[in-house]
Short mmCIF file of all heavy atoms in Angstrom, two decimals:
data_model
loop_
_atom_site.label_atom_id
_atom_site.label_comp_id
_atom_site.label_asym_id
_atom_site.label_seq_id
_atom_site.Cartn_x
_atom_site.Cartn_y
_atom_site.Cartn_z
N THR A 893 79.18 230.80 -4.28
CA THR A 893 78.80 231.72 -3.23
C THR A 893 79.90 231.97 -2.15
O THR A 893 80.01 233.07 -1.60
CB THR A 893 77.48 231.26 -2.57
OG1 THR A 893 77.76 229.94 -2.00
CG2 THR A 893 76.33 231.17 -3.58
N ASP A 894 80.59 230.85 -1.79
CA ASP A 894 81.64 230.96 -0.80
C ASP A 894 82.72 230.00 -1.21
O ASP A 894 82.68 228.80 -0.94
CB ASP A 894 81.02 230.56 0.59
CG ASP A 894 82.04 230.80 1.73
OD1 ASP A 894 83.22 230.89 1.45
OD2 ASP A 894 81.58 230.97 2.87
N LEU A 895 83.72 230.60 -1.84
CA LEU A 895 84.79 229.78 -2.40
C LEU A 895 85.48 228.89 -1.43
O LEU A 895 85.72 227.72 -1.63
CB LEU A 895 85.83 230.63 -3.18
CG LEU A 895 86.94 229.93 -3.92
CD1 LEU A 895 86.37 228.96 -4.94
CD2 LEU A 895 87.92 230.85 -4.55
N SER A 896 85.81 229.47 -0.30
CA SER A 896 86.55 228.80 0.76
C SER A 896 85.72 227.60 1.25
O SER A 896 86.30 226.47 1.33
CB SER A 896 86.95 229.67 1.91
OG SER A 896 87.54 228.97 2.91
N ARG A 897 84.50 227.82 1.63
CA ARG A 897 83.66 226.76 2.10
C ARG A 897 83.35 225.79 1.02
O ARG A 897 83.29 224.53 1.23
CB ARG A 897 82.34 227.34 2.71
CG ARG A 897 81.38 226.28 3.21
CD ARG A 897 80.44 226.86 4.22
NE ARG A 897 81.14 227.29 5.43
CZ ARG A 897 80.51 227.71 6.59
NH1 ARG A 897 79.16 227.82 6.56
NH2 ARG A 897 81.19 228.13 7.61
N GLY A 898 83.23 226.21 -0.27
CA GLY A 898 82.94 225.32 -1.33
C GLY A 898 84.14 224.41 -1.65
O GLY A 898 83.96 223.18 -1.87
N LEU A 899 85.39 224.93 -1.46
CA LEU A 899 86.59 224.09 -1.68
C LEU A 899 86.62 222.99 -0.56
O LEU A 899 87.01 221.85 -0.78
CB LEU A 899 87.84 224.90 -1.67
CG LEU A 899 88.00 225.73 -2.96
CD1 LEU A 899 89.25 226.62 -2.81
CD2 LEU A 899 88.20 224.79 -4.18
N THR A 900 86.34 223.47 0.65
CA THR A 900 86.28 222.52 1.81
C THR A 900 85.28 221.36 1.54
O THR A 900 85.59 220.16 1.74
CB THR A 900 85.98 223.20 3.10
OG1 THR A 900 86.94 224.26 3.34
CG2 THR A 900 85.95 222.19 4.30
N ALA A 901 84.06 221.71 1.07
CA ALA A 901 83.11 220.80 0.79
C ALA A 901 83.56 219.81 -0.38
O ALA A 901 83.26 218.60 -0.38
CB ALA A 901 81.81 221.42 0.36
N LEU A 902 84.27 220.37 -1.34
CA LEU A 902 84.74 219.56 -2.48
C LEU A 902 85.82 218.60 -1.99
O LEU A 902 85.84 217.45 -2.40
CB LEU A 902 85.36 220.49 -3.54
CG LEU A 902 85.35 219.95 -4.97
CD1 LEU A 902 83.96 219.54 -5.43
CD2 LEU A 902 85.91 220.96 -5.94
N HIS A 903 86.67 219.07 -1.08
CA HIS A 903 87.67 218.18 -0.53
C HIS A 903 87.05 217.01 0.24
O HIS A 903 87.44 215.93 0.18
CB HIS A 903 88.66 218.96 0.44
CG HIS A 903 89.59 219.91 -0.30
ND1 HIS A 903 90.05 221.05 0.24
CD2 HIS A 903 90.06 219.82 -1.61
CE1 HIS A 903 90.88 221.65 -0.63
NE2 HIS A 903 90.90 220.93 -1.72
N ILE A 904 86.03 217.38 1.02
CA ILE A 904 85.26 216.42 1.76
C ILE A 904 84.68 215.28 0.87
O ILE A 904 84.86 214.09 1.10
CB ILE A 904 84.18 216.98 2.65
CG1 ILE A 904 84.86 217.80 3.84
CG2 ILE A 904 83.24 215.94 3.17
CD1 ILE A 904 83.83 218.64 4.56
N SER A 905 84.09 215.80 -0.25
CA SER A 905 83.47 214.89 -1.20
C SER A 905 84.52 213.95 -1.83
O SER A 905 84.30 212.77 -1.97
CB SER A 905 82.73 215.73 -2.31
OG SER A 905 81.72 216.51 -1.77
N ALA A 906 85.67 214.53 -2.23
CA ALA A 906 86.71 213.76 -2.88
C ALA A 906 87.19 212.61 -1.94
O ALA A 906 87.37 211.47 -2.37
CB ALA A 906 87.89 214.64 -3.22
N TRP A 907 87.36 212.93 -0.66
CA TRP A 907 87.86 211.95 0.29
C TRP A 907 86.81 210.86 0.59
O TRP A 907 87.14 209.71 0.79
CB TRP A 907 88.39 212.59 1.58
CG TRP A 907 89.75 213.16 1.37
CD1 TRP A 907 90.07 214.45 1.21
CD2 TRP A 907 90.93 212.40 1.36
NE1 TRP A 907 91.43 214.62 1.08
CE2 TRP A 907 91.99 213.33 1.17
CE3 TRP A 907 91.27 211.04 1.51
CZ2 TRP A 907 93.34 212.93 1.14
CZ3 TRP A 907 92.57 210.63 1.46
CH2 TRP A 907 93.62 211.60 1.21
N LEU A 908 85.51 211.26 0.53
CA LEU A 908 84.49 210.27 0.70
C LEU A 908 84.44 209.25 -0.49
O LEU A 908 84.27 208.09 -0.30
CB LEU A 908 83.11 210.94 0.87
CG LEU A 908 82.95 211.73 2.14
CD1 LEU A 908 81.58 212.47 2.11
CD2 LEU A 908 83.06 210.83 3.38
N TRP A 909 84.55 209.81 -1.68
CA TRP A 909 84.61 208.98 -2.84
C TRP A 909 85.80 208.09 -2.94
O TRP A 909 85.73 206.89 -3.33
CB TRP A 909 84.60 209.86 -4.15
CG TRP A 909 83.22 210.33 -4.52
CD1 TRP A 909 82.92 211.67 -4.62
CD2 TRP A 909 82.04 209.68 -4.79
NE1 TRP A 909 81.54 211.84 -4.96
CE2 TRP A 909 81.00 210.56 -5.05
CE3 TRP A 909 81.73 208.26 -4.84
CZ2 TRP A 909 79.74 210.17 -5.32
CZ3 TRP A 909 80.43 207.87 -5.09
CH2 TRP A 909 79.42 208.82 -5.36
N ILE A 910 86.97 208.54 -2.41
CA ILE A 910 88.17 207.76 -2.33
C ILE A 910 87.88 206.50 -1.35
O ILE A 910 88.31 205.37 -1.68
CB ILE A 910 89.37 208.55 -1.73
CG1 ILE A 910 89.79 209.53 -2.86
CG2 ILE A 910 90.48 207.63 -1.31
CD1 ILE A 910 90.88 210.54 -2.41
N ALA A 911 87.25 206.76 -0.27
CA ALA A 911 86.88 205.69 0.68
C ALA A 911 86.00 204.62 0.07
O ALA A 911 86.24 203.46 0.18
CB ALA A 911 86.29 206.24 1.90
N VAL A 912 85.02 205.08 -0.76
CA VAL A 912 84.10 204.17 -1.45
C VAL A 912 84.83 203.40 -2.49
O VAL A 912 84.65 202.17 -2.56
CB VAL A 912 82.92 205.01 -2.06
CG1 VAL A 912 82.04 204.13 -2.96
CG2 VAL A 912 82.06 205.63 -0.98
N LEU A 913 85.67 204.06 -3.27
CA LEU A 913 86.38 203.32 -4.31
C LEU A 913 87.37 202.28 -3.75
O LEU A 913 87.49 201.24 -4.39
CB LEU A 913 87.10 204.33 -5.25
CG LEU A 913 86.16 205.23 -6.15
CD1 LEU A 913 87.01 206.26 -6.88
CD2 LEU A 913 85.44 204.37 -7.14
N PHE A 914 87.99 202.62 -2.69
CA PHE A 914 88.90 201.72 -2.06
C PHE A 914 88.12 200.43 -1.62
O PHE A 914 88.59 199.29 -1.79
CB PHE A 914 89.63 202.32 -0.93
CG PHE A 914 90.48 201.26 -0.14
CD1 PHE A 914 91.71 200.85 -0.68
CD2 PHE A 914 90.02 200.73 1.02
CE1 PHE A 914 92.42 199.87 -0.05
CE2 PHE A 914 90.72 199.73 1.69
CZ PHE A 914 91.98 199.37 1.15
N ALA A 915 86.96 200.65 -1.03
CA ALA A 915 86.22 199.48 -0.57
C ALA A 915 85.74 198.66 -1.73
O ALA A 915 85.77 197.42 -1.68
CB ALA A 915 84.99 199.95 0.25
N ASN A 916 85.36 199.32 -2.84
CA ASN A 916 84.97 198.63 -4.00
C ASN A 916 86.08 197.83 -4.65
O ASN A 916 85.94 196.77 -5.08
CB ASN A 916 84.39 199.59 -5.09
CG ASN A 916 83.02 200.06 -4.75
OD1 ASN A 916 82.37 199.58 -3.81
ND2 ASN A 916 82.58 201.10 -5.47
N PHE A 917 87.27 198.45 -4.62
CA PHE A 917 88.49 197.80 -5.13
C PHE A 917 88.79 196.54 -4.39
O PHE A 917 89.09 195.54 -4.98
CB PHE A 917 89.65 198.78 -5.16
CG PHE A 917 90.96 198.15 -5.63
CD1 PHE A 917 91.24 198.01 -6.97
CD2 PHE A 917 91.89 197.72 -4.70
CE1 PHE A 917 92.39 197.49 -7.36
CE2 PHE A 917 93.09 197.20 -5.15
CZ PHE A 917 93.35 197.07 -6.49
N ALA A 918 88.82 196.60 -3.06
CA ALA A 918 89.05 195.49 -2.23
C ALA A 918 88.11 194.33 -2.53
O ALA A 918 88.45 193.14 -2.62
CB ALA A 918 89.05 195.82 -0.80
N GLU A 919 86.78 194.67 -2.63
CA GLU A 919 85.78 193.73 -2.89
C GLU A 919 85.97 193.08 -4.29
O GLU A 919 85.85 191.84 -4.45
CB GLU A 919 84.43 194.31 -2.75
CG GLU A 919 83.25 193.31 -2.97
CD GLU A 919 81.93 193.94 -2.92
OE1 GLU A 919 81.81 195.27 -2.73
OE2 GLU A 919 80.88 193.26 -2.94
N ALA A 920 86.24 193.89 -5.22
CA ALA A 920 86.47 193.40 -6.66
C ALA A 920 87.68 192.46 -6.64
O ALA A 920 87.64 191.49 -7.38
CB ALA A 920 86.64 194.55 -7.62
N LEU A 921 88.70 192.80 -5.98
CA LEU A 921 89.90 191.98 -5.93
C LEU A 921 89.55 190.60 -5.37
O LEU A 921 90.02 189.59 -5.79
CB LEU A 921 90.92 192.63 -5.09
CG LEU A 921 92.42 192.22 -5.42
CD1 LEU A 921 92.77 192.47 -6.87
CD2 LEU A 921 93.32 193.09 -4.48
N ALA A 922 88.72 190.60 -4.16
CA ALA A 922 88.34 189.31 -3.62
C ALA A 922 87.48 188.48 -4.52
O ALA A 922 87.69 187.31 -4.67
CB ALA A 922 87.59 189.67 -2.33
N GLU A 923 86.59 189.16 -5.27
CA GLU A 923 85.70 188.43 -6.20
C GLU A 923 86.51 187.87 -7.36
O GLU A 923 86.05 186.87 -7.92
CB GLU A 923 84.60 189.36 -6.72
CG GLU A 923 83.60 189.75 -5.65
CD GLU A 923 82.53 190.72 -6.16
OE1 GLU A 923 82.74 191.24 -7.30
OE2 GLU A 923 81.55 191.01 -5.46
N GLY A 924 87.58 188.45 -7.75
CA GLY A 924 88.45 188.01 -8.75
C GLY A 924 89.01 186.58 -8.51
O GLY A 924 89.41 185.86 -9.37
N ARG A 925 89.04 186.20 -7.20
CA ARG A 925 89.47 184.85 -6.79
C ARG A 925 88.46 183.79 -7.12
O ARG A 925 88.78 182.61 -6.97
CB ARG A 925 89.91 184.90 -5.31
CG ARG A 925 91.06 185.84 -4.99
CD ARG A 925 92.35 185.33 -5.44
NE ARG A 925 93.48 186.20 -5.00
CZ ARG A 925 94.42 185.76 -4.24
NH1 ARG A 925 94.57 184.52 -3.98
NH2 ARG A 925 95.35 186.63 -3.97
N GLY A 926 87.17 184.20 -7.29
CA GLY A 926 86.17 183.25 -7.47
C GLY A 926 86.07 182.72 -8.90
O GLY A 926 86.94 182.98 -9.72
N ARG A 927 84.95 182.03 -9.20
CA ARG A 927 84.76 181.52 -10.54
C ARG A 927 83.31 181.13 -10.60
O ARG A 927 82.64 180.92 -9.71
CB ARG A 927 85.68 180.37 -10.88
CG ARG A 927 85.57 179.04 -10.16
CD ARG A 927 85.15 178.61 -9.14
NE ARG A 927 84.84 177.63 -8.33
CZ ARG A 927 83.91 177.79 -7.45
NH1 ARG A 927 83.26 178.91 -7.46
NH2 ARG A 927 83.62 176.85 -6.63
N ALA A 928 82.85 180.95 -11.93
CA ALA A 928 81.47 180.50 -12.12
C ALA A 928 81.52 178.99 -12.24
O ALA A 928 82.00 178.36 -13.08
CB ALA A 928 81.00 181.08 -13.52
N ARG A 929 80.86 178.37 -11.22
CA ARG A 929 80.99 176.89 -11.02
C ARG A 929 80.37 176.14 -12.23
O ARG A 929 80.95 175.25 -12.83
CB ARG A 929 80.27 176.46 -9.75
CG ARG A 929 81.03 176.95 -8.53
CD ARG A 929 80.41 176.49 -7.27
NE ARG A 929 81.15 176.95 -6.11
CZ ARG A 929 81.01 178.14 -5.50
NH1 ARG A 929 80.18 178.98 -6.12
NH2 ARG A 929 81.73 178.50 -4.52
N ALA A 930 79.10 176.48 -12.57
CA ALA A 930 78.42 175.72 -13.60
C ALA A 930 79.12 175.86 -14.95
O ALA A 930 79.20 174.97 -15.72
CB ALA A 930 77.02 176.12 -13.60
N ASP A 931 79.52 177.13 -15.28
CA ASP A 931 80.19 177.35 -16.51
C ASP A 931 81.51 176.62 -16.57
O ASP A 931 81.84 176.05 -17.69
CB ASP A 931 80.45 178.87 -16.66
CG ASP A 931 79.23 179.66 -16.91
OD1 ASP A 931 78.22 179.04 -17.20
OD2 ASP A 931 79.28 180.92 -16.77
N SER A 932 82.24 176.50 -15.49
CA SER A 932 83.46 175.70 -15.49
C SER A 932 83.22 174.27 -15.70
O SER A 932 83.98 173.53 -16.32
CB SER A 932 84.25 176.00 -14.24
OG SER A 932 84.55 177.31 -14.11
N LEU A 933 82.14 173.76 -15.10
CA LEU A 933 81.80 172.35 -15.30
C LEU A 933 81.55 172.09 -16.77
O LEU A 933 82.06 171.09 -17.31
CB LEU A 933 80.53 172.00 -14.53
CG LEU A 933 80.72 171.71 -12.97
CD1 LEU A 933 79.28 171.57 -12.36
CD2 LEU A 933 81.52 170.45 -12.80
N ARG A 934 80.85 172.97 -17.44
CA ARG A 934 80.58 172.78 -18.86
C ARG A 934 81.87 172.85 -19.69
O ARG A 934 82.04 172.17 -20.65
CB ARG A 934 79.56 173.79 -19.33
CG ARG A 934 78.19 173.68 -18.71
CD ARG A 934 77.17 174.56 -19.32
NE ARG A 934 75.91 174.43 -18.75
CZ ARG A 934 75.43 175.18 -17.71
NH1 ARG A 934 76.16 176.15 -17.24
NH2 ARG A 934 74.18 174.92 -17.16
N ALA A 935 82.70 173.78 -19.27
CA ALA A 935 84.04 173.95 -19.92
C ALA A 935 84.87 172.68 -19.84
O ALA A 935 85.49 172.20 -20.79
CB ALA A 935 84.73 175.18 -19.37
N SER A 936 84.86 172.12 -18.58
CA SER A 936 85.70 170.89 -18.37
C SER A 936 85.14 169.78 -19.23
O SER A 936 85.91 168.95 -19.72
CB SER A 936 85.69 170.51 -16.91
OG SER A 936 84.43 170.09 -16.54
N ARG A 937 83.87 169.75 -19.45
CA ARG A 937 83.26 168.67 -20.29
C ARG A 937 83.69 168.83 -21.74
O ARG A 937 84.00 167.84 -22.38
CB ARG A 937 81.73 168.71 -20.18
CG ARG A 937 81.04 167.75 -21.05
CD ARG A 937 79.52 167.79 -20.86
NE ARG A 937 79.03 169.17 -21.01
CZ ARG A 937 77.75 169.50 -20.75
NH1 ARG A 937 76.93 168.61 -20.21
NH2 ARG A 937 77.40 170.82 -20.92
#
């Protein structure tokens, strides 16, 4: 209906998703430092 306004909305959406993915990436990276304690205990045995 309105190409100009539609592109602006699409740009807004893209940048919002970028912010979400970056936060997810940082959280996933932090979780990668962890481990499953009970599973590791069994593995060490």
Side-chain angles (χ1 to χ4, degrees):
T893 58
D894 188 336
L895 182 60
S896 176
R897 180 158 292 186
L899 288 175
T900 300
L902 205 58
H903 288 151
I904 290 172
S905 301
W907 280 102
L908 291 177
W909 284 118
I910 288 173
V912 173
L913 290 173
F914 173 78
N916 285 351
F917 176 79
E919 183 181 5
L921 204 58
E923 289 176 352
R925 299 285 185 124
R927 65 341 173 207
R929 292 181 179 83
D931 290 345
S932 297
L933 279 171
R934 295 187 180 96
S936 68
R937 175 177 55 189

